[in-house]
Amino acid sequence: MTRPLIAANWKMNGDLALAEAVIAGLAEGGGGGVDVLLCPPFVYLREVARMARQAKVDGLMVGAQNLDYHAHGAFTGEVSAAMVADAGCEYVIVGHSERRALFGESDDDVARKAQAARGAGLAAVVCVGETFAEREAGRTEAVVESQLAPLAGFFAGGGGGGGDGCDFAVAYEPVWAIGSGQSATPGDARAVHELIRRRIAARNPAAANRARVIYGGSVKPGNAAGLFAEPGIDGALVGGASLAARDFLSIIRGGYAD
Ligand code: PGA
């Protein structure tokens, strides 16, 4: 397995003081052999990327929470992949369930965004996951498969780009677990992670070995270690618990202490 990836998705929260607290904590205690990704709102990206470079913490990276797949043009309020890269980012989250549910992003849009990220030299964290009703109906695997299907070309073309030898990660985020306080059990998550890795492998065996499949949905200091101990869970995408530096650092250290 490549190094674990622990990503902070601040959503529309946080400020530069939060970034400063997290980065100072990492600089003091070290990242513990983990790659750490901070995804603040767009307006903070350039400054947080500068702070991260200055801190010289091994494995610390900055990413955006979204992008527009067009290269440029009359798309008021949108930000392109090249602009995200220009701000100093190495990563971008695409297809978060809030983008899908609240802003109408389709599976095809998500695949286009992932390709646009690659085109600008950014690694994408592609999010997939089922709703509660879909899980109750026994459709988890089918839903995740249908979300992954348009990404087949993206997976096939993957490789080599990122610093870790792979230019994407997939985040399994069951929608019912996001912000609910109720995470998936390590065993339930593992089954879906295995499915995701098989789908990547069908397109690109080398990328499947390197790509990180991370879990998101109510990851907290108290449950991180149990999730991370599960084979095939290569890290986490953390929302609420990434908004308190102490909690986020505790997830990083508790889960994968060196
Ligand atoms: P949560 O959010 O950790 O607050 O559940 C995770 C996410 O939406 O990425």
Side-chain angles (χ1 to χ4, degrees), residues 137-162:
R139 298 190 52 238
T140 299
E141 300 214 338
V143 168
V144 170
E145 301 236 27
S146 69
Q147 292 170 331
L148 292 173
L151 290 155
F154 174 74
F155 291 149

Side-chain angles (χ1 to χ4, degrees), residues 7 9 11 93 96-98 127 173 177-181 216-220 237-242:
N9 175 14
K11 311 188 181 183
I93 298 169
H96 190 278
S97 67
E98 287 151 18
C127 303
E173 296 208 302
I178 294 175
S180 68
S218 296
V219 176
K220 310 263 181 247
L237 183 52
V238 186
S242 72

Side-chain angles (χ1 to χ4, degrees), residues 16-49:
L16 291 176
L18 174 59
E20 206 171 304
V22 173
I23 293 170
L26 289 170
E28 263 168 39
V34 176
D35 285 345
V36 176
L37 173 63
L38 300 182
C39 299
F42 281 128
V43 291
Y44 301 130
L45 287 175
R46 185 176 294 278
E47 180 60 13
V48 176

